[in-house]
Amino acid sequence: MASIKELPELEVFKTVLFHCMVIIALPVFSFFASKIFIFDGLLGLDQVPSNVYSAGVAILVLHVALGAFIYRAYFDDQSKTQTKRD
């Protein structure tokens, strides 16, 4: 009898949807937050350097979010899965 070690489809969908929202929202939020509060407000940089540094922060945040998604997909906890026995 074969055992299937898969998460239910709804759990997989929720996980992927959550990571998609994080991958989309966090870089956009980090760009504007770092631009407004750090580079324009605190450091008082001009517009072009402020945009460049903020884009760098957004890229860094994007890579961290993608890394978290890949880590979660690769090293997902298999103890939470249910085993089907016939």
Side-chain angles (χ1 to χ4, degrees):
M1 318 293 175
S3 65
I4 300 172
K5 294 184 176 181
E6 293 183 11
L7 290 173
E9 291 180 9
L10 182 60
E11 286 296 319
V12 172
F13 178 74
K14 286 181 184 178
T15 302
V16 171
L17 183 64
F18 170 74
H19 283 285
C20 286
M21 291 298 131
V22 167
I23 288 169
I24 291 170
L26 275 183
V28 172
F29 175 76
S30 67
F31 174 83
F32 288 108
S34 64
K35 177 175 174 40
I36 293 169
F37 296 116
I38 297 173
F39 299 119
D40 285 345
L42 186 63
L43 300 176
L45 294 177
D46 291 333
Q47 183 178 0
V48 173
S50 175
N51 288 340
V52 171
Y53 294 139
S54 298
V57 170
I59 290 170
L60 181 68
V61 168
L62 173 64
H63 281 85
V64 169
L66 285 172
F69 173 69
I70 292 170
Y71 180 83
R72 176 80 187 260
Y74 191 74
F75 294 111
D76 195 19
D77 188 13
Q78 297 297 326
S79 64
K80 293 181 183 177
T81 60
Q82 298 175 354
T83 304
K84 181 181 178 183
R85 295 183 183 177
D86 292 332

